[in-house]
Amino acid sequence: MRYQFILFFIFALTLHINAQQSNYDKIWSDSSLNSRINENIEKYRKSDAIIEVKDKDGNPVSNASIEVHQKTHEFLFGSNIFVLGQLSKAELNQKYESAFTNLFNFATLPFYWRGLEPQEGKPRFEEDSERIWRRPPPDQLLKWCKSHYITAKGHALMYNRNEQMPDWTNENDPEVFLKQAEKHMAEIADRYRDDIVIWDVVNEERYRTRNPETGHKVPDDYLVWCFRVAGSLFPENVKLIYNDDTQNHLNPDEFAGYINRIIDQGLRIDGMGLQFHLFSLDARDKFLEGSIYPPDQLLNAYDQLEKIGLPLYITEITVPSAGENGAVIQAEIIEDLYRLWFSIKNMAGITYWNLGDGTAYGGKDTTTEGMGGENKAMAGLLDETMNPKPAYQVLDKLINDEWKTKASLKSNREGKANFRGFYGRYEIKIISDGKTQVCEINLGKGEKKPFVLTFE
């Protein structure tokens, strides 16, 4: 009898999984949805370009062979680098770094106050600072980013969650705490204002306002206060972003309300950050069923937020791969989400959260023993040995193949050749009369003039 029950349970579970997958495929394979995605990628991520080849005397070089090869993206694809250099073996660290640089041009650096300044007056900026898991010193991370031409983002200037605050900060006196916070932000700005060009100024204010006991006591205008201080500390070229949680996809008007508080005070805000975490298998299954975050709901949220007129960023992504056929399901979800996000007009960047399994919040090494739910969900793009999972391979194909432009052209009588390409930096190889010359161009939004290249 017990054996029959087990068989029945397995059969029922299989039917449930198949039904989830069938419903998911129906929702995400909708022809009108995919037409919109494909048309918007073509419209918002690419541009026509003209290359004009001239000799040193200014005469057109006709019938030249021109090889167009996109090297980098203008769009920001990233992940956090919270465990850079912290894995248990040199081989694992090397694989982690190689996987990162192969895929991403954007890195989120940890500036959680508790880990950055556990002792008052002794911030851990320098490379030789004491080791703390998932909190490498910013100088070390920034140096690595610069050496690999990766744009660094600071996360976050202020995150008012008690568990992320140093023990020495004042939890119950708002006046004292704000003085401590202003000093903290000023020290960060003094050191990094010229090198880190994007910051999450405030993180997850929606949760704190709903659960004030989880954070330090602050005035009602705390969010506005943070942006006022940040705006006075950082130059205009540094982007100041407000970052909040996944739930804001359900109520974009509420999220817009936080943004508009800042705008209405005449303060600078340069971007809106939304997280997208499916921390558990239960959340993933609901997503597969279409009961949470179906594509029409996501598109509606982004359409509403677009009216504000600020760039949008997907700042943190978690999609589990645990469970039966989990790695394949993870890859399918990630491919569909990235395609949708890449098609959004005002989207400027997409950041996956934890690159490798076993590296999420709560862990001390690369094993999963004793870790929290995020690690049990096995949401990394790499497995625990830092080898690519199907989800990583899907993104590699999108970012490095499908969304990068290559073309072979011939210049006409006027020395001109046209192509349509994704925004980014290009290597242009010109071959004429047995000679070869390599140039670089940057195809950006709004580029109208021909790229005039001198062939000598």
Side-chain angles (χ1 to χ4, degrees), residues 4-5 19 100 124 173-174 182 217 234 255 292 317 367:
Q4 289 176 329
F5 174 77
F100 195 105
R124 297 174 51 258
D173 188 328
E182 186 167 6
K217 290 182 180 178
F234 289 93
F255 180 66
I292 59 171
I317 304 163
T367 68

Side-chain angles (χ1 to χ4, degrees), residues 198-202 227 239-243 270-273 313:
I198 303 180
W199 287 90
D200 289 329
V201 175
V202 176
F227 271 86
K239 293 181 172 62
L240 304 179
I241 295 173
Y242 171 57
N243 186 51
D270 305 300
M272 308 175 289
Y313 299 82

